[in-house]
Amino acid sequence: MNRHPELLIPASSLEVLKTAVIFGADAVYIGGEAFGLRAKAKNFSREDMAEGIRFAHEHGVRVHVTANILAHNDDLPGVRAYFEELREMKPDALIIADPAVFEIAKEVCPEIERHISTQANNTNYGTYNFWWKQGAKRVVSARELSLKEIKEIRQNIPEDMEIESFIHGAMCISYSGRCLLSNYFAGRDANQGACTHPCRWKYSIVEETRPGEYMPVYENERGTFIFNSKDLCMIQHIPELIDAGIDSFKIEGRMKTALYVATVARTYRKAIDDYLEDPALYEKNMPWYLDQISNCTYRQFTTGFYFGKPDESAQIYDNNTYAKDYTYLGIIGSEKDGLYQIEQRNKFSVGEQIEIMKPDGRNVEVTVRRIVNEDGQEQESAPHAKQTIYVDLGAEADLYDILRRKEEA
């Protein structure tokens, strides 16, 4: 079977969903206001979810809704009511980890595909076949699997069953994301969607009889970050991912900005399309992919477990800072008399050189000529986040183009 991989992009809000759709997603995955594992994400109200599904479907893009908490007794009535609402909105798939939640979905909305979350620890073809027999269309592989193992799974499951695998983004330090640190330290359950990310914190040692005396543990001069993982990046390995039989290339990042989503979606979209058109074209354009993927906020990169168990240098990084080359300024909205409406996200000023980032891969350098507020008054700068302003860029822009500014090294 000649598989054309789906590019599956995360969306934290309606704005980000639209960005993902315009910048190349085949499918997006989103969370509602309950029962997903990103409680701190903006998530989607009922109204925004309905609008997002409508927008995506108008552009031929699928929508998958996460409902992947590990449910407790008190959750089950609410899950049922939630799925009854979703049945009316008609998303394309539900991403589920809990068997009870799976059974409710099968009963309430059997017409919506059921996908098994990575939270269910899917590490072998027997598990895949089990879920297939229960009525699952797709299983998300555990991040601890190698390409060799995924290829063996592909050879031992029905041809129509789909494999989804993370190919880019943050790697949880705990097995398939099953972490207790947040619950222990902050009383917020990662498996209920409330993770505080204590794996990113800086740690010291306290000796039992000397409370309050913090003794540093040094990996380097910046301290120790003993639970940190590098970010996954497989942009250089599209051929191996396809050869392994992966049906859906999943990007992590359901709490990321529109700029991050646009950058990653556009880069992987072009890499996948180039490879399917001509492997030589993919190799030729590799410098462009690597340059573009480094333009969004990220930690140091790794290939994770795909080529075998990573050693310490391949997995653990030595600080908790992000690389950041560009600042997100806003998304192009309506146009009138040469002025483009945007909801401004970070400060910029008249006379500054910024870029219009386009879905087709172009980055157009422009100089901000004018900034006008909603009252029609001229401003020298746009200092307030979320302010609606109108800008003259001296160049043509299209709806949903991204505005960004390159930061000095």
PDB file of all heavy atoms in Angstrom, residues 381-398:
ATOM      1  N   SER A 381       4.130  53.432  17.668  1.00  0.00           N
ATOM      2  CA  SER A 381       4.413  52.026  17.974  1.00  0.00           C
ATOM      3  C   SER A 381       3.123  51.338  18.400  1.00  0.00           C
ATOM      4  O   SER A 381       2.103  51.996  18.639  1.00  0.00           O
ATOM      5  CB  SER A 381       5.465  51.902  19.085  1.00  0.00           C
ATOM      6  OG  SER A 381       4.955  52.417  20.302  1.00  0.00           O
ATOM      7  N   ALA A 382       3.212  50.006  18.485  1.00  0.00           N
ATOM      8  CA  ALA A 382       2.095  49.194  18.962  1.00  0.00           C
ATOM      9  C   ALA A 382       2.578  48.449  20.203  1.00  0.00           C
ATOM     10  O   ALA A 382       3.057  47.321  20.120  1.00  0.00           O
ATOM     11  CB  ALA A 382       1.659  48.220  17.871  1.00  0.00           C
ATOM     12  N   PRO A 383       2.492  49.093  21.382  1.00  0.00           N
ATOM     13  CA  PRO A 383       3.122  48.530  22.572  1.00  0.00           C
ATOM     14  C   PRO A 383       2.265  47.555  23.361  1.00  0.00           C
ATOM     15  O   PRO A 383       2.769  46.848  24.223  1.00  0.00           O
ATOM     16  CB  PRO A 383       3.418  49.771  23.418  1.00  0.00           C
ATOM     17  CG  PRO A 383       2.305  50.711  23.063  1.00  0.00           C
ATOM     18  CD  PRO A 383       1.976  50.449  21.614  1.00  0.00           C
ATOM     19  N   HIS A 384       0.958  47.523  23.107  1.00  0.00           N
ATOM     20  CA  HIS A 384       0.052  46.784  23.983  1.00  0.00           C
ATOM     21  C   HIS A 384      -0.428  45.494  23.310  1.00  0.00           C
ATOM     22  O   HIS A 384      -1.074  45.535  22.262  1.00  0.00           O
ATOM     23  CB  HIS A 384      -1.152  47.652  24.363  1.00  0.00           C
ATOM     24  CG  HIS A 384      -0.777  48.962  24.970  1.00  0.00           C
ATOM     25  ND1 HIS A 384      -0.047  49.046  26.138  1.00  0.00           N
ATOM     26  CD2 HIS A 384      -1.015  50.232  24.559  1.00  0.00           C
ATOM     27  CE1 HIS A 384       0.143  50.326  26.430  1.00  0.00           C
ATOM     28  NE2 HIS A 384      -0.419  51.063  25.489  1.00  0.00           N
ATOM     29  N   ALA A 385      -0.116  44.356  23.924  1.00  0.00           N
ATOM     30  CA  ALA A 385      -0.568  43.082  23.384  1.00  0.00           C
ATOM     31  C   ALA A 385      -2.084  43.048  23.316  1.00  0.00           C
ATOM     32  O   ALA A 385      -2.778  43.605  24.157  1.00  0.00           O
ATOM     33  CB  ALA A 385      -0.054  41.932  24.257  1.00  0.00           C
ATOM     34  N   LYS A 386      -2.572  42.405  22.253  1.00  0.00           N
ATOM     35  CA  LYS A 386      -4.005  42.217  22.005  1.00  0.00           C
ATOM     36  C   LYS A 386      -4.698  43.474  21.479  1.00  0.00           C
ATOM     37  O   LYS A 386      -5.909  43.468  21.254  1.00  0.00           O
ATOM     38  CB  LYS A 386      -4.735  41.731  23.259  1.00  0.00           C
ATOM     39  CG  LYS A 386      -4.275  40.376  23.771  1.00  0.00           C
ATOM     40  CD  LYS A 386      -4.840  39.245  22.932  1.00  0.00           C
ATOM     41  CE  LYS A 386      -4.594  37.903  23.567  1.00  0.00           C
ATOM     42  NZ  LYS A 386      -5.271  36.806  22.861  1.00  0.00           N
ATOM     43  N   GLN A 387      -3.958  44.565  21.287  1.00  0.00           N
ATOM     44  CA  GLN A 387      -4.566  45.770  20.722  1.00  0.00           C
ATOM     45  C   GLN A 387      -4.856  45.549  19.241  1.00  0.00           C
ATOM     46  O   GLN A 387      -4.022  45.036  18.495  1.00  0.00           O
ATOM     47  CB  GLN A 387      -3.627  46.961  20.891  1.00  0.00           C
ATOM     48  CG  GLN A 387      -4.197  48.273  20.332  1.00  0.00           C
ATOM     49  CD  GLN A 387      -3.190  49.413  20.397  1.00  0.00           C
ATOM     50  OE1 GLN A 387      -2.029  49.209  20.696  1.00  0.00           O
ATOM     51  NE2 GLN A 387      -3.652  50.620  20.110  1.00  0.00           N
ATOM     52  N   THR A 388      -6.050  45.932  18.801  1.00  0.00           N
ATOM     53  CA  THR A 388      -6.374  45.885  17.375  1.00  0.00           C
ATOM     54  C   THR A 388      -5.848  47.153  16.715  1.00  0.00           C
ATOM     55  O   THR A 388      -6.171  48.269  17.138  1.00  0.00           O
ATOM     56  CB  THR A 388      -7.887  45.767  17.149  1.00  0.00           C
ATOM     57  OG1 THR A 388      -8.347  44.530  17.717  1.00  0.00           O
ATOM     58  CG2 THR A 388      -8.224  45.779  15.665  1.00  0.00           C
ATOM     59  N   ILE A 389      -5.022  46.969  15.705  1.00  0.00           N
ATOM     60  CA  ILE A 389      -4.418  48.102  15.009  1.00  0.00           C
ATOM     61  C   ILE A 389      -4.497  47.860  13.499  1.00  0.00           C
ATOM     62  O   ILE A 389      -4.840  46.760  13.040  1.00  0.00           O
ATOM     63  CB  ILE A 389      -2.944  48.313  15.414  1.00  0.00           C
ATOM     64  CG1 ILE A 389      -2.128  47.034  15.156  1.00  0.00           C
ATOM     65  CG2 ILE A 389      -2.829  48.751  16.868  1.00  0.00           C
ATOM     66  CD1 ILE A 389      -0.646  47.196  15.400  1.00  0.00           C
ATOM     67  N   TYR A 390      -4.166  48.917  12.746  1.00  0.00           N
ATOM     68  CA  TYR A 390      -4.159  48.854  11.289  1.00  0.00           C
ATOM     69  C   TYR A 390      -2.792  49.323  10.823  1.00  0.00           C
ATOM     70  O   TYR A 390      -2.312  50.380  11.251  1.00  0.00           O
ATOM     71  CB  TYR A 390      -5.276  49.722  10.718  1.00  0.00           C
ATOM     72  CG  TYR A 390      -6.637  49.282  11.198  1.00  0.00           C
ATOM     73  CD1 TYR A 390      -7.129  49.709  12.433  1.00  0.00           C
ATOM     74  CD2 TYR A 390      -7.409  48.413  10.447  1.00  0.00           C
ATOM     75  CE1 TYR A 390      -8.366  49.287  12.899  1.00  0.00           C
ATOM     76  CE2 TYR A 390      -8.657  47.978  10.903  1.00  0.00           C
ATOM     77  CZ  TYR A 390      -9.123  48.413  12.129  1.00  0.00           C
ATOM     78  OH  TYR A 390     -10.341  47.983  12.594  1.00  0.00           O
ATOM     79  N   VAL A 391      -2.138  48.536   9.966  1.00  0.00           N
ATOM     80  CA  VAL A 391      -0.761  48.835   9.592  1.00  0.00           C
ATOM     81  C   VAL A 391      -0.618  48.948   8.080  1.00  0.00           C
ATOM     82  O   VAL A 391      -1.265  48.223   7.309  1.00  0.00           O
ATOM     83  CB  VAL A 391       0.212  47.753  10.126  1.00  0.00           C
ATOM     84  CG1 VAL A 391       0.251  47.769  11.637  1.00  0.00           C
ATOM     85  CG2 VAL A 391      -0.157  46.366   9.625  1.00  0.00           C
ATOM     86  N   ASP A 392       0.226  49.883   7.685  1.00  0.00           N
ATOM     87  CA  ASP A 392       0.650  50.039   6.295  1.00  0.00           C
ATOM     88  C   ASP A 392       2.026  49.405   6.173  1.00  0.00           C
ATOM     89  O   ASP A 392       2.986  49.864   6.795  1.00  0.00           O
ATOM     90  CB  ASP A 392       0.698  51.525   5.932  1.00  0.00           C
ATOM     91  CG  ASP A 392       1.146  51.772   4.487  1.00  0.00           C
ATOM     92  OD1 ASP A 392       1.504  50.788   3.789  1.00  0.00           O
ATOM     93  OD2 ASP A 392       1.131  52.942   4.074  1.00  0.00           O
ATOM     94  N   LEU A 393       2.105  48.339   5.391  1.00  0.00           N
ATOM     95  CA  LEU A 393       3.351  47.582   5.259  1.00  0.00           C
ATOM     96  C   LEU A 393       4.095  47.892   3.965  1.00  0.00           C
ATOM     97  O   LEU A 393       5.188  47.372   3.739  1.00  0.00           O
ATOM     98  CB  LEU A 393       3.061  46.079   5.336  1.00  0.00           C
ATOM     99  CG  LEU A 393       2.375  45.607   6.627  1.00  0.00           C
ATOM    100  CD1 LEU A 393       1.935  44.154   6.484  1.00  0.00           C
ATOM    101  CD2 LEU A 393       3.321  45.761   7.813  1.00  0.00           C
ATOM    102  N   GLY A 394       3.492  48.692   3.120  1.00  0.00           N
ATOM    103  CA  GLY A 394       4.140  49.009   1.853  1.00  0.00           C
ATOM    104  C   GLY A 394       4.243  47.830   0.909  1.00  0.00           C
ATOM    105  O   GLY A 394       5.040  47.839  -0.030  1.00  0.00           O
ATOM    106  N   ALA A 395       3.450  46.797   1.156  1.00  0.00           N
ATOM    107  CA  ALA A 395       3.469  45.599   0.326  1.00  0.00           C
ATOM    108  C   ALA A 395       2.136  44.889   0.492  1.00  0.00           C
ATOM    109  O   ALA A 395       1.415  45.103   1.471  1.00  0.00           O
ATOM    110  CB  ALA A 395       4.620  44.677   0.721  1.00  0.00           C
ATOM    111  N   GLU A 396       1.813  44.021  -0.453  1.00  0.00           N
ATOM    112  CA  GLU A 396       0.577  43.274  -0.376  1.00  0.00           C
ATOM    113  C   GLU A 396       0.714  42.102   0.589  1.00  0.00           C
ATOM    114  O   GLU A 396       1.747  41.432   0.630  1.00  0.00           O
ATOM    115  CB  GLU A 396       0.170  42.751  -1.760  1.00  0.00           C
ATOM    116  CG  GLU A 396      -0.323  43.844  -2.702  1.00  0.00           C
ATOM    117  CD  GLU A 396      -0.928  43.261  -3.970  1.00  0.00           C
ATOM    118  OE1 GLU A 396      -1.086  42.018  -4.036  1.00  0.00           O
ATOM    119  OE2 GLU A 396      -1.241  44.043  -4.887  1.00  0.00           O
ATOM    120  N   ALA A 397      -0.335  41.890   1.364  1.00  0.00           N
ATOM    121  CA  ALA A 397      -0.389  40.744   2.259  1.00  0.00           C
ATOM    122  C   ALA A 397      -1.741  40.064   2.085  1.00  0.00           C
ATOM    123  O   ALA A 397      -2.693  40.672   1.586  1.00  0.00           O
ATOM    124  CB  ALA A 397      -0.189  41.175   3.707  1.00  0.00           C
ATOM    125  N   ASP A 398      -1.820  38.819   2.479  1.00  0.00           N
ATOM    126  CA  ASP A 398      -3.044  38.045   2.335  1.00  0.00           C
ATOM    127  C   ASP A 398      -3.594  37.664   3.705  1.00  0.00           C
ATOM    128  O   ASP A 398      -2.851  37.579   4.694  1.00  0.00           O
ATOM    129  CB  ASP A 398      -2.789  36.770   1.517  1.00  0.00           C
ATOM    130  CG  ASP A 398      -2.350  37.078   0.097  1.00  0.00           C
ATOM    131  OD1 ASP A 398      -3.064  37.822  -0.594  1.00  0.00           O
ATOM    132  OD2 ASP A 398      -1.272  36.591  -0.305  1.00  0.00           O
TER     133      ASP A 398
END
